[in-house]
Amino acid sequence: MGAERKRPRQQEKKTLNRSFGLLVLLGVVLVLAGLVGLVYAGVATLTSMFLFGWLLLVGGVIGLVHAVQSRGSSYFWLAVIVAAVNLAAGFVILRRPEASAEALTMFAALLFLTGGVFRLAGSLVVRGSNFGLALVQGAFGILLGLLILAGWPGNSLYVIGTFFSLALLFDGLSLIVVGLGSRRVLGMVGDDSPRTGPDTADTAKRSARGQEQSHI
């Protein structure tokens, strides 16, 4: 019985170990893709633009199909408008990836600026326990937004690709850490099934003999 119970546990452990290994492999692939993207930031920018454009196109088609299926509902026209906007934006991005990169770079710079200003002002007004961290984050956001605006539109071919590559790099590192940590924890976990050895067998025999003598 103990051996039969132990086999499924070992199989589950091997399956989990293999899954965590695949997670580490995926993290390594993402890290390599992020490093390559940092080296070739221009190619990464155009690649991210094409991916974004195709995602918008696919999302627009799916939204349009869903709107047609629910044409009797009250939000039919809203779903049609949202799908049409996604289709138009995806088409424009695929046709003009450089101009789309410029627009997204400007949007990112303004987002960093506004976020940094609000965070800086909030830290000065509230002055909570994380005052120093919020102050540094706000100043960093403002500085990053100003640097992007100072080099715009010449840097638009590199900013989006750099951000995209950094996201891949950090996601890959997090997957590697999670996968290796999970495999280490899995290796430390022992088999919880009851062990059947000579000592346990002798104990079982003694208890059985005691029960027979008590019945006699």
Side-chain angles (χ1 to χ4, degrees):
M1 292 292 293
E4 293 179 356
R5 291 179 181 177
K6 193 174 182 180
R7 289 175 185 172
R9 291 178 182 273
Q10 290 178 349
Q11 291 178 357
E12 291 177 1
K13 191 174 180 179
K14 289 181 180 179
T15 303
L16 288 175
N17 201 6
R18 192 179 302 112
S19 300
F20 293 139
L22 291 176
L23 196 66
V24 173
L25 181 61
L26 178 60
V28 172
V29 172
L30 290 180
V31 168
L32 291 177
L35 293 176
V36 172
L38 289 176
V39 176
Y40 302 100
V43 178
T45 298
L46 294 178
T47 303
S48 60
M49 287 295 99
F50 281 116
L51 288 175
F52 188 46
W54 279 111
L55 285 176
L56 287 176
L57 281 179
V58 173
V61 171
I62 294 175
L64 190 61
V65 171
H66 180 70
V68 171
Q69 290 177 351
S70 59
R71 55 183 175 274
S73 61
S74 58
Y75 58 88
F76 167 71
W77 288 109
L78 179 62
V80 171
I81 292 173
V82 172
V85 170
N86 287 333
L87 288 173
F91 182 75
V92 170
I93 290 175
L94 290 178
R95 287 294 302 271
R96 299 289 302 277
E98 293 86 359
S100 302
E102 292 179 3
L104 284 179
T105 302
M106 173 65 73
F107 178 75
L110 294 177
L111 191 64
F112 282 123
L113 271 177
T114 53
V117 168
F118 279 108
R119 187 167 292 173
L120 188 63
S123 64
L124 292 175
V125 171
V126 177
R127 292 182 179 272
S129 58
N130 297 325
F131 169 72
L133 180 61
L135 192 67
V136 172
Q137 288 177 345
F140 181 75
I142 294 174
L143 179 62
L144 187 59
L146 291 176
L147 287 176
I148 293 174
L149 286 178
W152 189 86
N155 59 0
S156 60
L157 193 61
Y158 306 100
V159 172
I160 302 298
T162 302
F163 288 160
F164 182 69
S165 301
L166 287 175
L168 289 178
L169 180 63
F170 287 117
D171 287 342
L173 290 175
S174 63
L175 288 179
I176 292 174
V177 171
V178 170
L180 292 178
S182 301
R183 293 189 70 178
R184 189 177 297 111
V185 171
L186 189 63
M188 294 170 61
V189 174
D191 191 7
D192 296 333
S193 60
R195 298 179 181 178
T196 57
D199 297 335
T200 56
D202 293 339
T203 304
K205 289 179 181 180
R206 291 173 184 174
S207 61
R209 289 174 183 175
Q211 290 179 0
E212 289 178 359
Q213 291 176 1
S214 63
H215 286 301
I216 293 174

